[in-house]
């Protein structure tokens, strides 16, 4: 099994694997080119994003700066808007539905590490291995959802359809459809 296959299965993987490093460099090159283009050059910017992501629906708008690890593990549905400063750490799949709004500085994490340093840090890693244990869990955001500014979404979380997550929240657990969630950690406060 390749390290990327382990990554996508949620198993511990070597984040310094050559295939993953190549995907990382490719993403950075595409994002650099995308960032350098005029915002008036919508067709070329969209084409670059199509080459970066696993899938990209029509009408998607992303404000820069934007950051991701690999890009290929991200799927974004049509008419989704991602505001400035978004960080999508796609060490595993990030699936974003259609008509989703991500506020400024939303961060979606998939990577996680053991809590205990004795489990997290490798005592004698090989020269081409990371010195720490990493695994990644997918994140899913349903259609018609609004994630407010400065929200953090943690690894392995699913957010339902028609959800609103209040600004500044930290989403650590799944959120069902059609609710308002807020707080640190985010909790459902009412149905919508």
């Amino acid at each position: 099994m390749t390290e990327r296959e382990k990554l996508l299965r949620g198993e511990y993987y070597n984040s310094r694997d050559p295939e993953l490093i190549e995907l990382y460099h490719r993403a950075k090159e595409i994002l650099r080119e995308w960032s350098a283009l005029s915002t008036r050059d919508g067709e070329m910017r969209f084409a670059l994003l199509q080459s970066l992501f696993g899938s990209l629906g029509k009408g998607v708008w992303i404000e820069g700066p934007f950051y991701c690890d690999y890009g290929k593990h991200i799927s974004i549905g049509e008419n989704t808007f991602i505001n400035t400063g978004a960080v999508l750490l796609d060490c595993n799949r990030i699936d974003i539905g259609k008509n989703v709004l991500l506020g400024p500085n939303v961060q979606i994490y998939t990577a996680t590490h053991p809590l205990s340093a004795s489990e997290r840090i490798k005592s004698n890693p090989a020269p081409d291995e990371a010195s720490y244990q990493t695994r990644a869990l997918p994140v899913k955001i349903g259609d018609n959802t609004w994630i407010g500014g400065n929200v953090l979404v943690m690894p392995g979380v699913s957010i339902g359809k028609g959800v609103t997550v209040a600004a500044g929240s930290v989403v650590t657990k799944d959120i069902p459809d059609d609710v308002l969630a807020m707080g640190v950690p985010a909790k459902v406060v009412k149905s919508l």
Side-chain angles (χ1 to χ4, degrees):
M1 182 180 315
T2 68
E3 296 302 309
R4 186 171 180 218
E5 288 170 335
K6 291 178 190 176
L7 170 154
L8 292 170
R9 289 177 59 144
E11 298 176 9
Y12 287 107
Y13 68 95
N14 176 17
S15 62
R16 298 297 184 262
D17 176 70
E19 177 188 12
L20 295 175
I21 294 293
E22 182 54 36
L23 278 175
Y24 169 86
H25 289 309
R26 179 186 168 279
K28 300 307 164 266
E29 289 166 358
I30 293 170
L31 286 172
R32 185 175 53 248
E33 188 177 346
W34 175 81
S35 295
L37 286 173
S38 168
T39 54
R40 295 179 187 277
D41 196 352
E43 282 185 37
M44 182 55 122
R45 287 173 62 90
F46 191 80
L48 284 170
L49 291 177
Q50 281 182 309
S51 72
L52 175 65
F53 296 132
S55 69
L56 186 69
K58 67 180 180 176
V60 169
W61 188 283
I62 299 177
E63 288 287 331
F66 172 82
Y67 180 87
C68 66
D69 276 332
Y70 306 116
K72 283 294 179 195
H73 303 143
I74 298 172
S75 172
I76 302 174
E78 64 186 40
N79 300 318
T80 287
F81 176 77
I82 298 177
N83 213 324
T84 187
V87 175
L88 277 61
L89 299 183
D90 62 315
C91 298
N92 202 317
R93 288 185 175 87
I94 297 175
D95 294 314
I96 299 172
K98 64 183 180 181
N99 303 312
V100 171
L101 302 173
L102 297 186
N105 302 310
V106 166
Q107 298 182 40
I108 300 174
Y109 306 149
T110 61
T112 187
H113 312 279
L115 296 178
S116 166
S118 63
E119 293 175 34
R120 183 173 55 249
I121 306 301
K122 296 178 183 176
S123 56
N124 291 312
D128 60 345
E129 278 188 325
S131 60
Y132 46 85
Q133 295 275 26
T134 302
R135 67 186 190 112
L137 304 171
V139 169
K140 183 173 171 53
I141 298 173
D143 296 344
N144 308 315
T145 289
W146 174 23
I147 309 291
N150 292 305
V151 167
L152 303 179
V153 179
M154 298 295 113
V157 167
S158 289
I159 298 173
K161 296 177 183 176
V163 170
T164 298
V165 179
S169 297
V170 178
V171 183
T172 61
K173 295 185 176 161
D174 292 354
I175 298 176
D177 294 347
D178 302 311
V179 296
L180 169 63
M182 63 174 55
V184 180
K187 293 184 170 64
V188 173
V189 295
K190 72 175 186 175
S191 294
L192 298 175

